[in-house]
Amino acid sequence: MISRHMSRVTRHIPGILSAKLDASAALAVSGALPENVNYAVKSSLLLSFLESVPAVSAKLRAPVTADRKFEDVVKSAQTAAVLVLVY
């Protein structure tokens, strides 16, 4: 979820990642079911990674620094979101 606070402060979305922890694996290892598990990646590390791939680097846009309506930020984020699968 994109918070209104984040969009007002930064005026761009640095990156949002989502993953789901395997509940059965966590139960087997810890003996407890996971609740409210979140992961984060620093946007500077993500940007460095993206810039290291020439095909991706050429498509990166400069951050928008002008004031924008929250709805415009959400629309921009929706069109920029991609699914990354890790095996």
Side-chain angles (χ1 to χ4, degrees):
M1 179 176 175
I2 303 168
S3 72
R4 288 184 182 267
H5 174 73
M6 183 171 72
S7 66
R8 283 187 193 132
V9 172
T10 64
R11 293 186 178 81
H12 68 283
I13 306 302
I16 299 171
L17 301 177
S18 174
K20 185 171 184 175
L21 188 63
D22 185 340
S24 61
L27 180 62
V29 171
S30 68
L33 289 172
E35 294 183 38
N36 297 324
V37 178
N38 297 297
Y39 300 94
V41 174
K42 286 186 169 276
S43 60
S44 60
L45 296 175
L46 179 60
L47 183 58
S48 293
F49 169 72
L50 294 174
E51 288 173 339
S52 73
V53 181
V56 174
S57 180
K59 296 178 183 179
L60 293 177
R61 296 181 184 168
V64 176
T65 57
D67 287 338
R68 296 191 294 168
K69 293 180 183 177
F70 177 74
E71 294 77 16
D72 293 338
V73 173
V74 171
K75 185 175 181 180
S76 178
Q78 288 173 333
T79 60
V82 297
L83 176 63
V84 177
L85 298 175
V86 180
Y87 296 96

